[in-house]
Amino acid sequence: MRSSRSKPFWFCNLIARKPRTAKADGAPVNTIAARLARAGLKSDWDFVLHLPLRYEDETRITPIVQLIAGNEAQVEAEVIAADVVYRGRRQLRVTVRDATGSLVLRFLNFYSSQSKQMAVGRKLRIFGLVRGGLAGDEMIHPRVRASDFDTPLPRSLTPVYPSPEGVPQSWLRKRIDRALRDVDVDDVLPDAIRARYRLTGLKDAIERLHRPPIGADADAFEQRTDPAWRRLMFDELLAQQLALRAARVARAGRHAYQLDGVGSISSRLLAHLPFSLTGAQQRVWVEIESDIARSQPMHRLLQGDVGSGKTVIAALAAARAIENGFQAALMAPTEILAEQHFRKVAEWLSPLGVQIEWLAGRLTGAAKRAAQDSIARGNAQLIVGTHALIQEAVAFTKLGLAIVDEQHRFGVAQRLALRGNSSEENAPHLLMLSATPIPRTLAMSYLADLDVSVLDELPPGRRPVITKLVSTRRREEVTQRIRADVASGRQSYWVCPLIESSDVIEAATATETFERIVEALPDLRIGLLHGQLHSAKKTEVMQRFVRREIDLLVATTVIEVGVDVPNATLMVIEHAERFGLAQLHQLRGRVGRGGDQSFCILLFEEPLSEPACERLKVIYGTNDGFEVARRDLMMRGPGEFLGARQSGLPLLRFADLQRDAELVEQACVAAADLLAQHPVAARQHVLRWYAASHEFLTA
Ligand code: ADP
Ligand code: MG
């Protein structure tokens, strides 16, 4: 049993890790090596895996007459004129000629050494982008080399590498060439696996990507359909799958308290609920119930669209932990939501004798110490709070179950970092709730170390929210609509424009909106809620809304997640074009929680940008969270979608989960094969891919 005041280890999974900013050991920060190190390029192997963005074809000489504007080309020609001219600014203008025609080269910044290199009569090999000019073809700032016209041409395409600022391409090329010479690229994948998945040899693939042979199909390289690319992408996905499995195995090796007794708290909770569980809720509860009865820690994600009823499942799981003599913790991303949970679970569980403690950042002094004390002494059985639960020195005496609501808000990445304190004797079971459904390939790759339960059924009697797109010019109609709704006893939300950069400006805008609406609807009881309000004030406003003492709640996105007021049936979102898809879907989920028909009015300002228009169309067209997520992923890509960039999750560098979905599936099967049949190769493979970054090394 733990009693130290250290942070409970499961929180290690949740605390956002900063992206590793590699500091070059001892090297001055601005040397080329330091710049490369900051970009994650340190070992030879890092350079071997630093693959070209594109290629330049210097294997051929194009006669000037055959140049095509818009293409890159290489010509060999003699200088016939070179002048410094003024076209707005000083520039060097060089005319060259070969047997077929002439071409103008322009240099805006040039050194005297360059004008010497390009003196009349010099023979040059020139590579650059051809531009059609009024007076014939031109190249601006081409790459120029002296040539006696006999210099042999390279036999492979010239790679162009992604290069950190301040690192010349030529330097990178040399460094990578050296790495390619020095590294022994042995193929750790056994022949059987290579044959089964039709993979080319690793050494060949790497060689081919760095130096595609003459005649290679440049498109196949750029589109990444060349077999060499396929091999590298496969290897990358395989490494990811193996690492995720390793994390899973490591977890399975840990011990957890068995919450296997069925007591009166959970059964009385079920009996006292004002509704009966949906089929989906029952199924999911059985899954969770049997998970936490085991002696291995549960690691389960409960996915369910907004309004599908995840909270009651959390309460049931908590009840089960408590009736087995353990503590449970429930954490929410915002104070408003945490507080709402606190009230809800108190309403459900206090009458059953459960001791519930509230812990949020705003608690101070004596109150906080008292709360911490009661947790440490084991008096508190259920602890509800915000991330204060992580940040403060909270010592649970016997935490059996940790529940994280709206877990995507905490960042998905942290969960992968299963490097909790393994000396910990017993791990709590972990239940994560999320309304952001994760599309299949994404789930397979980023969530492969999780078990997933899905609530795919809404409570009965719900009617899908009707969404309307309305131009701001018709604002007045919307105001009248609210008046009518309120007259019939219902409540509304008015969501103020999102202002990305500043909470303070956002709050000010909300206040302005509030004043304007108060003026337009003087007969209504209107509340204002934004992030800059004092916590106690927020609570008060929210409670008045819950008690129906407020008809219309003007709010910022502080109400985005979790807020549950079934009598609210109308939501207006101002400047809807500024919101992301996931956000719009979450916001819309605040209505449609009771039996009445609900509406969501998306007020937009014209003109709409193309992506904004696209987003509004998606939200207008579907109520299905999975579909919204799928479209969101398509439009933003997995990195943005998961918010991974901020949280340090190593993104896939080569493979793309959308484009290479089939490869993801294959890598997933291959990982299982490899582990079962070639465990040594599996380990070598993971080490090779992650050794440099130390990511995922949990096994
Ligand atoms: P979410 O999954 O978005 O967190 P909540 O847990 O807040 O959803 O549930 C939404 C609303 O539905 C709440 O008011 C809740 O009490 C109610 N609810 C949950 N389960 C059922 C059910 N089986 N039948 C009727 N209402 C339910
Ligand atoms: Mg919820």
Side-chain angles (χ1 to χ4, degrees):
M1 197 178 292
R2 68 187 312 283
S3 57
S4 72
R5 296 191 69 85
S6 63
K7 285 175 188 169
F9 88 88
W10 62 272
F11 285 136
C12 302
N13 299 342
L14 303 165
I15 297 170
R17 272 183 309 131
K18 294 240 171 62
R20 284 160 32 88
T21 41
K23 212 171 159 197
D25 312 300
V29 281
N30 274 324
T31 62
I32 287 184
R35 288 191 173 125
L36 289 169
R38 276 200 298 272
L41 291 166
K42 279 169 279 180
S43 71
D44 277 341
W45 187 249
D46 294 335
F47 285 98
V48 166
L49 286 183
H50 194 64
L51 298 176
L53 275 179
R54 60 185 189 91
Y55 305 90
E56 287 173 352
D57 188 351
E58 291 177 301
T59 64
R60 287 180 293 146
I61 301 291
T62 307
I64 288 176
V65 70
Q66 288 175 20
L67 291 179
I68 298 170
N71 286 4
E72 282 181 337
Q74 178 168 252
V75 299
E76 220 161 32
E78 192 180 315
V79 178
I80 54 168
D83 314 284
V84 174
V85 295
Y86 289 87
R87 286 281 150 74
R89 51 201 277 213
R90 193 166 163 267
Q91 51 177 268
L92 176 64
R93 184 176 183 277
V94 177
T95 310
V96 296
R97 188 163 69 195
D98 69 3
T100 67
S102 65
L103 173 72
V104 171
L105 318 178
R106 284 183 198 282
F107 299 86
L108 296 178
N109 302 300
F110 58 96
Y111 300 99
S112 54
S113 60
Q114 278 179 301
S115 22
K116 271 189 213 127
Q117 185 193 19
M118 291 182 277
V120 173
R122 292 294 169 104
K123 293 173 178 168
L124 303 175
R125 190 171 280 174
I126 303 149
F127 185 92
L129 180 68
V130 182
R131 310 218 315 181
L134 281 178
D137 286 339
E138 297 186 340
M139 286 185 182
I140 317 275
H141 289 224
R143 195 162 62 234
V144 171
R145 266 180 264 184
S147 162
D148 56 10
F149 288 8
D150 289 329
T151 320
L153 289 163
R155 291 208 305 278
S156 57
L157 301 180
T158 310
V160 179
Y161 293 106
S163 97
E165 211 178 307
V167 179
Q169 202 48 235
S170 53
W171 199 98
L172 248 184
R173 283 185 190 139
K174 268 190 221 135
R175 179 66 188 85
I176 289 170
D177 276 347
R178 195 173 88 220
L180 285 171
R181 267 198 317 276
D182 293 353
V183 171
D184 178 22
V185 185
D186 55 334
D187 206 326
V188 301
L189 294 191
D191 294 344
I193 296 279
R194 286 218 308 273
R196 196 174 316 155
Y197 296 96
R198 301 186 324 278
L199 303 171
T200 52
L202 184 61
K203 192 175 167 60
D204 288 349
I206 285 178
E207 187 77 16
R208 190 173 159 81
L209 289 172
H210 284 287
R211 301 170 179 145
I214 294 180
D217 177 0
D219 273 353
F221 280 90
E222 256 153 52
Q223 306 298 318
R224 304 199 171 180
T225 53
D226 188 274
W229 265 122
R230 182 167 174 277
R231 172 65 203 257
L232 266 289
M233 298 190 300
F234 183 90
D235 277 23
E236 176 179 48
L237 291 167
L238 180 66
Q240 188 187 47
Q241 290 294 328
L242 288 169
L244 288 166
R245 273 164 200 268
R248 184 187 271 266
V249 169
R251 176 164 49 86
R254 282 221 291 262
H255 198 267
Y257 301 115
Q258 284 180 257
L259 309 175
D260 54 358
V262 179
S264 65
I265 303 179
S266 58
S267 46
R268 280 163 67 206
L269 170 59
L270 272 175
H272 290 179
L273 282 176
F275 48 77
S276 47
L277 296 186
T278 62
Q281 282 170 323
Q282 282 171 22
R283 193 190 66 235
V284 160
W285 171 228
V286 169
E287 287 167 357
I288 293 169
E289 194 173 33
S290 65
D291 267 12
I292 59 181
R294 295 202 189 96
S295 57
Q296 272 112 42
M298 171 174 75
H299 204 212
R300 188 172 279 278
L301 177 68
L302 171 55
Q303 273 184 11
D305 210 342
V306 284
S308 59
K310 297 181 288 294
T311 319
V312 66
I313 301 293
L316 274 168
R320 178 57 51 83
I322 294 160
E323 64 198 14
N324 277 277
F326 293 92
Q327 290 175 308
L330 169 56
M331 186 166 85
T334 66
E335 195 154 317
I336 290 178
L337 181 52
E339 173 136 16
Q340 181 184 283
H341 279 333
F342 177 69
R343 286 173 196 279
K344 191 101 190 193
V345 293
E347 180 190 316
W348 284 337
L349 294 172
S350 292
L352 308 179
V354 174
Q355 289 302 312
I356 308 177
E357 195 65 60
W358 161 250
L359 195 70
R362 88 160 106 124
L363 281 188
T364 47
K368 177 174 280 176
R369 272 195 303 281
Q372 289 174 342
D373 230 47
S374 125
I375 297 167
R377 276 185 289 113
N379 292 356
Q381 296 170 296
L382 175 56
I383 299 90
V384 183
T386 56
H387 48 284
L389 275 178
I390 312 179
Q391 285 161 349
E392 315 293 328
V394 182
F396 297 90
T397 36
K398 38 181 187 171
L399 185 65
L401 172 71
I403 306 168
V404 184
D405 192 17
E406 306 290 351
Q407 73 99 31
H408 60 286
R409 280 306 195 88
F410 291 95
V412 178
Q414 298 83 332
R415 187 188 41 65
L416 280 177
L418 257 177
R419 66 197 70 199
N421 184 352
S422 48
S423 66
E424 208 62 62
E425 241 175 85
N426 276 304
H429 297 284
L430 187 54
L431 176 63
M432 291 160 274
L433 313 182
S434 174
T436 302
I438 312 283
R440 183 177 154 75
T441 48
L442 203 53
M444 279 180 67
S445 99
Y446 286 97
L447 304 180
D449 70 326
L450 279 181
D451 297 307
V452 180
S453 295
V454 180
L455 280 180
D456 51 7
E457 183 186 348
L458 293 179
R462 293 280 171 80
R463 289 194 250 168
V465 177
I466 295 177
T467 302
K468 300 194 166 181
L469 296 176
V470 177
S471 157
T472 338
R473 282 173 297 160
R474 290 169 53 201
R475 225 188 143 86
E476 180 52 24
E477 287 168 47
V478 176
T479 318
Q480 293 318 317
R481 173 65 195 269
I482 292 176
R483 193 195 300 273
D485 261 39
V486 167
S488 58
R490 290 191 292 265
Q491 293 163 281
S492 312
Y493 296 98
W494 185 291
V495 180
C496 301
L498 180 70
I499 294 158
E500 291 277 1
S501 51
S502 163
D503 291 349
V504 177
I505 300 179
E506 191 164 274
T509 314
T511 308
E512 261 171 48
T513 310
F514 170 75
E515 282 161 5
R516 213 176 52 216
I517 294 178
V518 167
E519 209 169 296
L521 295 165
D523 42 336
L524 263 50
R525 298 168 301 173
I526 304 177
L528 171 64
L529 196 61
H530 61 70
Q532 298 290 305
L533 291 178
H534 194 275
S535 297
K537 179 73 184 168
K538 280 187 217 163
T539 307
E540 186 212 311
V541 173
M542 203 57 224
Q543 281 317 108
R544 282 172 52 215
F545 191 60
V546 170
R547 290 197 303 263
R548 303 195 186 183
E549 292 163 20
I550 288 178
D551 303 311
L552 171 63
L553 185 60
V554 176
T556 58
T557 50
V558 291
I559 58 151
E560 179 182 343
V561 286
V563 170
D564 181 40
V565 180
N567 191 51
T569 54
L570 176 64
M571 162 156 294
V572 179
I573 304 178
E574 203 172 346
H575 277 292
E577 76 279 358
R578 294 191 194 168
F579 292 82
L581 269 181
Q583 223 168 6
L584 288 172
H585 184 67
Q586 283 279 354
L587 281 169
R588 179 170 61 181
R590 299 309 115 219
V591 294
R593 301 191 144 240
D596 287 338
Q597 179 62 59
S598 291
F599 294 87
C600 177
I601 297 179
L602 303 177
L603 273 180
F604 63 88
E605 182 85 37
E606 286 166 298
L608 282 176
S609 73
E610 182 82 25
C613 185
E614 205 47 39
R615 286 199 297 272
L616 293 181
K617 266 194 215 152
V618 170
I619 278 294
Y620 175 75
T622 182
N623 270 306
D624 175 357
F626 266 94
E627 181 58 18
V628 172
R630 201 180 62 79
R631 299 294 297 266
D632 200 18
L633 177 65
M634 256 166 60
M635 288 158 72
R636 287 194 295 160
E640 294 278 325
F641 181 88
L642 288 174
R645 246 160 246 174
Q646 296 83 359
S647 42
L649 181 76
L651 293 174
L652 292 167
R653 295 157 63 187
F654 306 135
D656 176 309
L657 294 176
Q658 283 289 113
R659 182 193 61 201
D660 309 316
E662 206 177 317
L663 215 52
V664 177
E665 311 245 356
Q666 290 179 13
C668 184
V669 181
D673 290 352
L674 198 64
L675 274 177
Q677 295 153 22
H678 312 275
V680 176
R683 185 166 175 78
Q684 285 173 330
H685 188 78
V686 177
L687 280 173
R688 173 175 279 177
W689 278 82
Y690 293 117
S693 56
H694 301 290
E695 299 290 354
F696 288 134
L697 280 185
T698 46

